[in-house]
Structures are given as C-alpha cells and as structure tokens.
Amino acid sequence: MLKKTRTSMRLHLIIYAAATGLVLGFAASGEAASYTFTKLVDTSGPFLQFGSAAINDGGTVAFSASLDTDGDGMPDASGIFTIDGTTTTTTIADSSGGFSFFSAPSITDGGTVAFSANLSGVSGIFTGSGGPTTTMVDSSGMFSSFNSVSIGNGGAVAFGAGLDGGGSGVFTSDGTRTTTIASSSGAFSFFNLPAMNNGGTVVFVGSLDAGGSGIF
C-alpha cells in the first residue's frame, strides 16, 4: 500500500512539474515577444488632439484631429487628414472650408476618405482625397442626421442615419442612388457602427423591437 502511494505521489509530482514547465515556458515565450511601433504624427506640431483613425492596405492612415493654429494651447480648427508614413499630412477637409463636427473617417485602398460632417449648416456624408470633396448624401433630402460611415473600394458608402419623418436606419449610397439596408420600420429600433466590405455587404449593430440586440 505504501509503495502504491509513493508511486502515485511521484506520478503527481511528475505531472505537476511538467505542467509547471509548460506554464513557465509559455510565460517566458510571452515575455520574449517584442513589438515595434511607428509614430506617424503627434502633438509636437500643429495638432492638439486626435480622434479616430483608419488605415488602408497600403498603410495610409486617415484620422480626425483638432488643431492649435495660433499657439495658444486651445483648439481653433478641426478636420480630417491622411498621412502615408512620411512626415507630410494631407488635408481632406477642415473647418476653414466650412466643415464642422467630423465623424470617424473610413479610407479605401486608393486613398479616398469618407466621413460625416456638417457643411455650412447642412449635415451629410462626404468623400475626398485631398482635392474638392464630393457630397454623397445630405440632410436636404430624406435624412435628418448621420453617424458612422464606411467606404468600400468601389466608392460606395454605408452609413447610419436618422430620417426626417422619424425613425432611423442603415443605408448605402453610390452618390446617386440610396439603398435601405435596414430601418426602424421593420424589426429594428436602433442602429450603430455600420461597416461595408469591398463586395458591398454591410454589417451593423442593431437593437430589436422584440428586445435584445445583435450584429446583422
């Protein structure tokens, strides 16, 4: 009986030692991992604060930011910008052109940036790549407000919006035609964070009239 007990204890010790070795090995492996970070832009220049950023397959980053143009430490301008890994930034749209209240940007692999903003008191979804901006859709029609936007490589955008007649939904637009993906006149009561792939399929977070929420 004693021999069996000692044998059992030895087996337990071997298993424990092996398990401990695996855990320590994983820990050591995790500690040995290293990362390299590349700073693209910071507050040592004209930018005062940064909002959201998006990156395309080529490494170009689109971002929203506020600027201190007069050096008093206070934000006095804002906009959407891109940077491609150099120290040079490109202005997509800013408050000197009548824009305000910028959303998080989305960027195609070709460098076209989509964002929602107010332009001279009219809210809308806009795209640009450093020259004149294009209005994809605005509040002069059926929409009253806009939130998140996503752009596919084909140039179409998916966005969440409130409707003039009440309610809200998720929609796509190619600049000419608007398509309803889902609206609060159906089974949904709330929408957020639409995203669109290059094939035109849209995903969004939605709350259901019957209760609960999900990703659709």
Side-chain angles (χ1 to χ4, degrees):
M1 181 68 179
L2 181 59
K3 184 176 180 180
K4 289 182 178 179
T5 302
R6 286 178 176 172
T7 301
S8 177
M9 290 177 62
R10 183 164 38 188
L11 288 172
H12 281 95
L13 286 171
I14 291 171
I15 293 170
Y16 175 78
T20 302
L22 287 172
V23 171
L24 291 175
F26 286 139
S29 176
E31 291 172 359
S34 61
Y35 302 90
T36 300
F37 299 96
T38 301
K39 180 176 68 177
L40 297 175
V41 61
D42 62 20
T43 55
S44 63
F47 297 107
L48 188 64
Q49 295 175 328
F50 297 96
S52 300
I55 188 169
N56 66 12
D57 284 352
T60 299
V61 171
F63 62 95
S64 59
S66 61
L67 301 92
D68 175 18
T69 58
D70 56 12
D72 65 354
M74 299 295 290
D76 44 42
S78 60
I80 300 289
F81 309 88
T82 60
I83 188 166
D84 60 4
T86 68
T87 58
T88 302
T89 59
T90 298
T91 301
I92 304 301
D94 65 15
S95 49
S96 68
F99 285 100
S100 60
F101 302 107
F102 296 95
S103 73
S106 178
I107 185 170
T108 69
D109 290 337
T112 299
V113 179
F115 59 94
S116 68
N118 284 1
L119 176 59
S120 302
V122 177
S123 59
I125 303 291
F126 307 91
T127 62
S129 56
T133 57
T134 298
T135 302
M136 300 297 286
V137 62
D138 65 26
S139 57
S140 64
M142 60 186 282
F143 300 109
S144 60
S145 61
F146 302 90
N147 50 50
S148 300
V149 61
S150 175
I151 188 169
N153 280 343
V157 295
F159 57 94
L163 298 166
D164 272 342
S168 60
V170 173
F171 309 87
T172 62
S173 176
D174 61 5
T176 302
R177 181 179 60 185
T178 298
T179 301
T180 301
I181 303 300
S183 74
S184 54
S185 62
F188 296 97
S189 59
F190 178 77
F191 305 90
N192 199 16
L193 303 174
M196 182 171 61
N197 67 15
N198 292 328
T201 299
V202 179
V203 63
F204 59 92
V205 177
S207 296
L208 297 165
D209 285 336
S213 62
I215 297 175
F216 304 89

